[in-house]
């Protein structure tokens, strides 16, 4: 699918591509290396955040099961699935009562405390302004992973090692797929609102109207 999309570029344009943001999908990267050999491949931050949240959720599920089996009402309530977004939110996003309950949970549950620390440190690492600073924070994060001994984060650390050069490319370029992801979501919502389109031309026009801010009554979308 990526090779098909890149056919829109001329051979010269492909050679001039400087950066390419993708998720950690090896076939995409292989296609980029073949079609745009001069491009620096950047792992998109959204997908890195997704991976660290998945690792945290595995820890949360394990601790939730232990709390339910042990009759720990407070821990069970705090580790419910609907609270997982509260647990990985930045402190500024929490209310005072949520912050107090979260602090209590961190005091009594070490695996959750360690997992939250790893998530917080991971995001600070991605906020690094330079590759040198990123490498310093990454070494510290690896040490925290070894000390925490949480299987989900140990596996994540292996994935980060594998794609470290592509993550460093993101730190250097700050290129993300954020705009494309946002447009894709708008198109999906548009499709659901209409319960699908039987006419692809009409669908394309509605996409231009919604995502390109074009009024089809005054602009010839043909």
């Amino acid at each position: 699918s990526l090779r098909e999309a890149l056919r829109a570029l001329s051979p010269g344009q492909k050679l001039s591509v400087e950066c390419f943001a993708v998720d950690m999908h090896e076939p995409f990267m292989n296609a980029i290396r073949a079609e745009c050999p001069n491009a620096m491949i950047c792992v998109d931050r959204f997908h890195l955040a997704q991976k660290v949240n998945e690792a945290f959720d595995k820890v949360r599920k394990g601790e939730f099961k232990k709390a339910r089996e042990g009759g720990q009402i407070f821990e069970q309530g705090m580790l419910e699935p609907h609270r997982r977004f509260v647990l990985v939110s930045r402190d500024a996003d929490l209310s005072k009562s949520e912050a107090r309950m979260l602090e209590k949970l961190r005091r009594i549950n070490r695996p959750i405390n360690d997992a939250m620390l790893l998530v917080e440190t991971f995001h600070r690492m991605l906020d690094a302004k330079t590759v040198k600073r990123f490498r310093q924070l990454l070494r510290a994060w690896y040490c925290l992973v070894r000390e925490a001994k949480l299987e989900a984060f140990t596996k994540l650390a292996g994935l980060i090692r594998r794609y470290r050069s592509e993550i460093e490319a993101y730190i250097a370029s700050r290129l993300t797929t954020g705009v494309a992801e946002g447009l894709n979501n708008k198109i999906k919502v548009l499709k659901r609102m209409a319960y699908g389109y039987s006419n692809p031309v009409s669908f394309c026009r509605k996409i231009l109207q919604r995502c390109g801010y074009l009024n089809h009554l005054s602009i010839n979308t043909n």
Side-chain angles (χ1 to χ4, degrees), residues 31-156:
I32 294 165
R33 294 183 186 108
E35 300 289 334
C36 304
N38 297 327
M40 182 168 61
I41 299 175
C42 312
V43 170
D44 180 57
R45 179 168 183 160
F46 170 82
H47 294 95
L48 290 169
Q50 191 178 50
K51 291 295 182 185
V52 76
N53 287 342
E54 286 174 2
F56 178 85
D57 210 38
K58 288 178 182 177
V59 177
R60 180 198 62 78
K61 287 176 180 177
E63 293 306 304
F64 175 75
K65 184 179 179 181
K66 290 179 186 176
R68 186 169 57 185
E69 292 172 350
Q72 304 294 331
I73 303 300
F74 172 74
E75 289 183 61
Q76 186 178 336
M78 286 295 294
L79 296 172
E80 288 280 358
H82 69 275
R83 286 187 177 272
R84 64 184 183 278
F85 298 112
V86 173
L87 297 174
V88 295
S89 296
R90 300 289 180 104
D91 293 340
D93 298 328
L94 301 176
S95 66
K96 290 183 179 179
S97 60
E98 287 174 333
R100 284 195 298 270
M101 289 192 296
L102 207 53
E103 187 59 34
K104 180 180 177 181
L105 176 66
R106 296 183 74 157
R107 285 199 305 270
I108 63 178
N109 191 307
R110 181 174 177 178
I112 289 295
N113 179 66
D114 289 347
M116 290 180 66
L117 180 62
L118 287 169
V119 172
E120 292 164 8
T121 309
F122 189 83
H123 284 293
R124 282 202 299 270
M125 184 172 74
L126 295 180
D127 289 336
K129 302 298 183 184
T130 64
V131 173
K132 181 179 179 181
R133 179 59 178 160
F134 168 77
R135 288 174 179 172
Q136 291 172 344
L137 295 172
L138 180 61
R139 285 195 293 270
W141 188 78
Y142 283 150
C143 290
L144 290 173
V145 171
R146 285 194 293 270
E147 290 172 7
K149 297 178 181 178
L150 298 172
E151 184 181 357
F153 282 92
T154 302
K155 289 182 178 178
L156 177 62

Side-chain angles (χ1 to χ4, degrees), residues 208-221:
L208 287 172
Q209 185 183 15
R210 177 63 63 87
C211 301
Y213 305 102
L214 300 180
N215 186 337
H216 71 287
L217 297 178
S218 59
I219 296 176
N220 182 357
T221 54

